[in-house]
Amino acid sequence: MPDYPKEKKTLVRYLGFDFGEKRIGVATGQQTLGTTQALCVLKAENNQPNWQSVEALIKEWQVDAFVVGLPLNMDGTEQPVTLMAKKFAKRLHGRFGLPTFTHDERLSTAEVREYLFEMGGYKKIKDSDFDAYAAELILKSYFESGASAQG
């Protein structure tokens, strides 16, 4: 019997993360349609979320891959939290075995405020939800960059 090449899995559903030392924003997105949605904010202890909560989100949204925002300085250099975000991305991949990508999140805070203002004003959004919207914009930016087409 001939050995046929396995079909490459198309990455369709993603979870996006806005990593923070105390809070980690989470969003989901569907690559084919380019849609994104802020989901929740997970509390972090020692730079880690409750992994069972992450696993529940993976199952609920049936995700194929992860995108973790990479906090860089404006000149593109790394900062201490950049290394923590990279470590978080490695842990995600190691625990769940799904493709994990990082994406530049410079300016995401300003963009989140602008985005929320367009949606009716960011003052209506609780501070605790802000990181979930940041995760949504990271994922939206990742899709728009065309990087997800490589998945």
Side-chain angles (χ1 to χ4, degrees):
M1 181 179 231
D3 192 20
Y4 295 105
K6 290 186 178 179
E7 196 173 313
K8 188 175 177 185
K9 181 171 174 36
T10 302
L11 305 180
V12 177
R13 174 66 67 181
Y14 291 72
L15 276 185
F17 295 91
D18 177 37
F19 176 82
E21 294 177 66
K22 295 185 175 27
R23 292 184 314 272
I24 300 171
V26 185
T28 188
Q30 207 275 357
Q31 178 206 352
T32 309
L33 299 174
T35 57
T36 57
Q37 175 186 345
L39 293 178
C40 62
V41 176
L42 303 173
K43 288 193 185 330
E45 279 189 40
N46 298 320
N47 305 323
Q48 295 188 59
N50 175 325
W51 292 108
Q52 292 160 330
S53 298
V54 175
E55 186 172 7
L57 289 167
I58 293 166
K59 287 179 180 174
E60 178 181 352
W61 292 96
Q62 300 176 16
V63 299
D64 302 306
F66 306 119
V67 175
V68 177
L70 206 55
L72 299 167
N73 291 316
M74 290 309 291
D75 64 1
T77 58
E78 294 185 351
Q79 50 187 306
V81 74
T82 309
L83 300 176
M84 288 184 249
K86 285 181 174 181
K87 191 172 187 178
F88 172 72
K90 285 181 182 175
R91 284 181 174 148
L92 272 172
H93 178 71
R95 281 182 176 267
F96 303 109
L98 295 174
T100 305
F101 308 96
T102 56
H103 186 69
D104 184 353
E105 69 170 46
R106 281 178 286 182
L107 301 177
S108 66
T109 300
E111 289 175 2
V112 169
R113 284 198 166 83
E114 185 178 315
Y115 176 64
L116 294 175
F117 183 76
E118 290 171 7
M119 290 174 47
Y122 69 88
K123 295 190 190 262
K124 293 180 182 177
I125 303 298
K126 292 185 282 180
D127 285 343
S128 59
D129 295 335
F130 190 85
D131 297 301
Y133 288 100
E136 180 182 4
L137 281 185
I138 289 165
L139 202 49
K140 188 180 293 281
S141 172
Y142 180 77
F143 289 162
E144 289 171 355
S145 75
S148 59
Q150 300 166 12

